[in-house]
Amino acid sequence: MSIRIGDTAPDFTAQTTEGTITFHEWLGDSWGVLFSHPKDFTPVCTTELGEAARLKPEFDKRNVKIIGLSVDPSDSHHKWAEDIAETQGHALNFPVIADADKKVSDLYEMIHPNASDTFTVRSVFVIGPDKKVKLTLTYPASTGRNFAEILRVIDSLQLTAKYSVATPVNWKDGDDVIIVPAVSDEAAKEKFPGGWKTIKPYLRVVPQPGK
Ligand code: BEZ
């Protein structure tokens, strides 16, 4: 059965470019992003890993650990890392799982047999500090992901976790947010003493808390 939002992220022990890790222990109290790549030495993956390395400080700021995965062995990952640094201008600064036996890919159902029997699709799992899955994304091998969008979703998830707000269409950090329906007007008065705008009883807009 596929992994769904709210499920506990399966734990595993795996070889990575930074040694052996046990996933839950490695995550500790952090948020996590686990993302798969179809194969080493492929063009789209090379650009994605360079971009993830460039954005690593942004993930760090949000207390998010990132980890990639590809179904090739560690020595191949290390050779590929040289190309990533050379062509993308950013060296790998996070672990990449060497999933040659496809143990983790199978656990997270990253191989979609009608797409390919051997390579993973581009999966993304965002995992909260409670080890629950907060977001899943599945992209085809031919489409590189938008890591700025992954950061945007993490900003939204972290706001929800802290302030009981949701984020509207195309929201970005600093825009107004929505008070979740589960919060009554009474409770909202305490949470948002600066007030809010009621457009409809179910659509209450408030400046982004903490800004
Ligand atoms: C790539 O990463 O460039 C790629 C991998 C598999 C199929 C197509 C593209």
Side-chain angles (χ1 to χ4, degrees):
M1 202 171 80
S2 58
I3 296 171
R4 294 183 286 198
I5 290 175
D7 292 353
T8 298
D11 197 15
F12 57 83
T13 298
Q15 292 297 319
T16 80
T17 48
E18 297 185 5
T20 303
I21 66 146
T22 297
F23 190 48
H24 283 194
E25 188 184 283
W26 177 79
L27 283 171
D29 295 329
S30 301
W31 290 68
V33 178
L34 168 64
F35 54 104
S36 60
H37 296 277
K39 193 153 178 52
D40 291 4
F41 299 101
T42 49
V44 177
C45 300
T46 302
T47 62
E48 285 190 326
L49 283 171
E51 177 65 354
R54 186 183 75 81
L55 289 174
K56 169 84 165 22
E58 291 297 320
F59 287 101
D60 289 345
K61 259 202 284 195
R62 292 162 174 81
N63 189 30
V64 181
K65 290 185 175 177
I66 59 175
I67 185 164
L69 173 150
S70 154
V71 291
D72 286 301
S74 262
D75 57 342
S76 165
H77 286 2
H78 283 295
K79 283 193 203 107
W80 184 31
E82 292 171 22
D83 287 2
I84 292 164
E86 179 194 325
T87 63
Q88 306 305 304
H90 295 277
L92 275 189
N93 48 13
F94 56 88
V96 178
I97 297 167
D99 196 37
D101 61 3
K102 303 190 172 72
K103 192 175 81 180
V104 181
S105 313
D106 286 343
L107 195 58
Y108 278 81
E109 296 195 349
M110 292 163 165
I111 293 177
H112 295 197
N114 289 328
S116 164
D117 275 341
T118 44
F119 304 146
T120 66
V121 291
R122 295 185 196 282
S123 300
V124 181
F125 297 90
V126 175
I127 297 154
D130 57 0
K131 310 291 183 293
K132 302 281 188 209
V133 173
K134 306 294 181 187
L135 167 95
T136 68
L137 280 177
T138 306
Y139 273 46
S142 51
T143 304
R145 287 156 288 198
N146 183 333
F147 280 74
E149 168 62 6
I150 296 170
L151 282 167
R152 190 190 74 90
V153 178
I154 290 167
D155 284 341
S156 171
L157 288 166
Q158 293 187 340
L159 267 181
T160 304
K162 199 163 173 190
Y163 297 109
S164 309
V165 293
T167 55
V169 61
N170 295 339
W171 173 85
K172 55 189 182 335
D173 189 36
D175 289 352
D176 287 353
V177 298
I178 288 170
I179 301 172
V180 296
V183 173
S184 65
D185 279 352
E186 193 82 326
K189 276 182 203 149
E190 289 218 351
K191 278 182 184 281
F192 309 104
W196 63 88
K197 189 169 153 196
T198 301
I199 297 165
K200 290 280 178 191
Y202 58 84
L203 179 53
R204 297 166 297 171
V205 176
V206 69
Q208 179 177 329
K211 274 281 158 189

